[in-house]
């Protein structure tokens, strides 16, 4: 694949903009400016190919898989109504190449958010048919009690649903802290379930999706690429 196509595939703008980046000597390979957009990178070296744009190093990735520790006050939409978008926390190349959220979190929910431009991956983790457990920590307004926990485990009927929805796990971690695991990804699901059980969510944080937990070293607002081990953990879900 030639350098111009590589830059285009990684989200550095239109083909013309990518050619201009190269012509303006803003692209380097192994530290030296590369001024020929037709420079060929052979397919056997492509998967480890690194290049610099304006001094920042990028590795070629056929597909992008990321984890973001979502802060409060960010919407998962590209076109947010009232807050900033989570896409403001990423380099512009990532939304440009089609990276999207793998399911949505409410603007006030924090924690584990996956993003990708791999449609099959997004579908696998958002399809209602593929029941991937998602673990949330909810801080509640009122103290938790056994009746609420049983209601959540046995199923609560949410407005607009024909069947009760049961949590696959509901544990009390503290007087006001509930660990809730759910298989679905319905609109405001955790908040609505907790309300239906007779309490109210004051704060919500997602800790885990399937076998993959929010990395401890990822501060709020930070993102990183998912590596092969992370993807294997997720795919085991
Ligand atoms: N359930 C909710 O109520 N909100 C979220 O952001 C995620 C799950």
């Amino acid at each position: 694949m030639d350098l111009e196509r590589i830059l285009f595939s990684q989200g550095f703008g239109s083909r013309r903009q990518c050619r201009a980046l190269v012509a303006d000597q803003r692209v380097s390979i192994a530290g030296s400016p590369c001024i020929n957009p037709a420079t060929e990178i052979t397919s056997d070296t492509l998967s480890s190919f690194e290049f610099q744009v304006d001094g920042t190093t990028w590795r070629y990735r056929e597909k992008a898989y990321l984890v973001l520790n979502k802060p409060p006050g960010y919407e998962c939409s590209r076109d947010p109504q009232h807050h900033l978008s989570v896409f403001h926390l990423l380099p512009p190349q990532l939304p440009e190449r089609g990276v999207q959220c793998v399911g949505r979190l409410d603007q006030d929910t924090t924690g584990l958010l996956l993003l990708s431009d791999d449609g099959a991956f997004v579908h696998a983790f958002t399809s209602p048919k593929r029941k991937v457990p998602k673990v949330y920590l909810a801080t509640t307004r009122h103290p938790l009690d056994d009746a609420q926990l049983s209601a959540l485990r046995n199923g609560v009927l949410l407005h607009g649903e024909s069947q009760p929805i049961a949590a696959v796990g509901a544990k009390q971690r503290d007087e006001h802290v509930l660990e809730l695991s759910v298989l679905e990804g319905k609109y405001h699901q955790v908040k609505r379930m907790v309300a239906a059980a007779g309490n109210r969510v004051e704060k919500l944080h997602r800790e885990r999706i399937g076998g993959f937990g929010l990395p401890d070293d990822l501060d709020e607002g930070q993102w990183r690429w998912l590596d092969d081990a992370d993807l294997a953990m997720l795919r085991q879900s």
Side-chain angles (χ1 to χ4, degrees), residues 156-165 186:
V156 285
L157 190 59
L158 302 183
H159 183 70
E161 299 291 332
S162 53
Q163 299 290 324
I165 299 185
K186 294 185 185 290

Side-chain angles (χ1 to χ4, degrees), residues 117-184:
D117 60 357
D118 178 348
F121 179 84
V122 175
H123 182 258
F125 286 92
T126 50
S127 160
K129 287 201 189 115
R130 178 120 191 270
K131 300 197 178 289
V132 180
K134 290 157 281 280
V135 181
Y136 292 89
L137 276 193
T139 307
T140 56
R141 175 174 292 181
H142 310 292
L144 290 153
D145 61 33
D146 288 345
Q148 293 167 21
L149 295 176
S150 309
L152 290 165
R153 289 184 199 121
N154 295 333
V156 285
L157 190 59
L158 302 183
H159 183 70
E161 299 291 332
S162 53
Q163 299 290 324
I165 299 185
V168 282
K171 277 191 233 159
Q172 183 167 359
R173 283 217 194 158
D174 209 336
E175 197 183 12
H176 288 261
V177 182
L178 168 72
E179 179 189 310
L180 197 71
S181 309
V182 296
L183 296 179
E184 309 79 1

